[in-house]
Amino acid sequence: MARIEPLPPTQFPSEMRAAMAALRPPNPRHEKMPTTDRPKALNTLGTLAHHPELARAYFTFNGHLLLATTLTERHREMVVMRVAAIRKSSYEWYQHLFVARDAGLSDEEIGRIAYGPDSPLWNTLEAAILRAVEEMIIDGGIGDATWQILATELDTRQILDLIFTAGGYDILALMFKSLGLDMDDDIPELMSRYDQLFR
């Protein structure tokens, strides 16, 4: 049981609805994500509904990370999934499993993200992206060799978005683990439906 019980949507304060609107940045670079047959993250939203001011501030940031980032959607999701793998955050992993698939990552590639940057099947840039996430979380910053690859392949805004995406989803992983947040009820059904489609 979670240390802070998520509020059901019917109990969200009115300020929470305004906070959720902040997830849509004013100048998105990417299309709004599909919502049909996708996780609703109600336990995350219900937890943050206890503190709508914090929710609005984080959602403004998160809206940029999701929809206004200069990273490709594929690279954004590689960063998020690597954070989830390093932090052993099953909640974050399952929420973004669907987003990663929507971004074009195959299940084999998603499995490789869990394995990490040393898989020989990654190209140089994608291995460096995964390694950068690892170095930031484990060592506190990107190492010189990894930086050289990123600086050759990405522009300054993309590198900044990579750093802040890793940090933004690390914050969520810390919250999920600290609060013992339960998996949302819709995840098993969505996983079952997906598995049946691809048997």
Side-chain angles (χ1 to χ4, degrees):
M1 191 165 181
R3 290 172 169 171
I4 297 175
E5 190 65 25
L7 295 174
T10 55
Q11 293 179 24
F12 284 8
S14 58
E15 299 90 348
M16 185 60 179
R17 306 211 183 275
M20 289 169 64
L23 279 164
R24 184 80 177 149
N27 299 305
R29 287 185 176 84
H30 304 289
E31 293 296 317
K32 189 175 178 186
M33 296 179 181
T35 54
T36 305
D37 292 329
R38 297 296 183 278
K40 304 222 179 328
L42 290 180
N43 287 344
T44 301
L45 296 173
T47 300
L48 290 172
H50 288 284
H51 196 341
E53 290 173 349
L54 174 63
R56 184 182 187 116
Y58 184 76
F59 291 160
T60 301
F61 176 44
N62 193 231
H64 171 83
L65 299 181
L66 288 172
L67 299 176
T69 181
T70 57
L71 295 173
T72 66
E73 292 174 294
R74 174 186 174 86
H75 289 164
R76 177 199 67 212
E77 289 309 306
M78 288 180 68
V79 172
V80 175
M81 297 296 278
R82 189 63 191 143
V83 170
I86 293 167
R87 288 298 187 195
K88 298 178 174 53
S89 176
S90 56
Y91 189 101
E92 192 163 70
W93 181 269
Y94 279 108
Q95 288 295 326
H96 273 266
L97 175 62
F98 296 87
V99 185
R101 288 168 172 164
D102 289 338
L105 286 158
S106 68
D107 284 349
E108 185 274 328
E109 289 172 318
I110 291 168
R112 263 196 281 138
I113 291 169
Y115 179 78
D118 294 327
S119 167
L121 300 176
W122 295 120
N123 66 38
T124 303
L125 173 59
E126 293 188 338
I129 287 171
L130 296 175
R131 187 164 285 108
V133 174
E134 207 164 89
E135 290 170 348
M136 283 187 280
I137 291 176
I138 296 169
D139 303 327
I142 299 171
D144 290 340
T146 306
W147 181 268
Q148 285 302 116
I149 297 167
L150 296 176
T152 301
E153 300 280 345
L154 302 177
D155 66 28
T156 300
R157 292 185 307 166
Q158 289 172 312
I159 293 173
L160 287 170
D161 276 331
L162 190 162
I163 293 167
F164 278 82
T165 302
Y169 281 89
D170 195 25
I171 289 170
L172 282 181
L174 295 173
M175 182 188 82
F176 299 148
K177 187 168 187 175
S178 295
L179 300 184
L181 208 61
D182 294 325
M183 192 72 67
D184 289 291
D185 292 339
D186 58 355
I187 295 288
E189 184 188 344
L190 289 169
M191 287 298 295
S192 172
R193 256 189 269 160
Y194 182 88
D195 290 343
Q196 287 172 3
L197 282 173
F198 293 94
R199 274 188 190 162

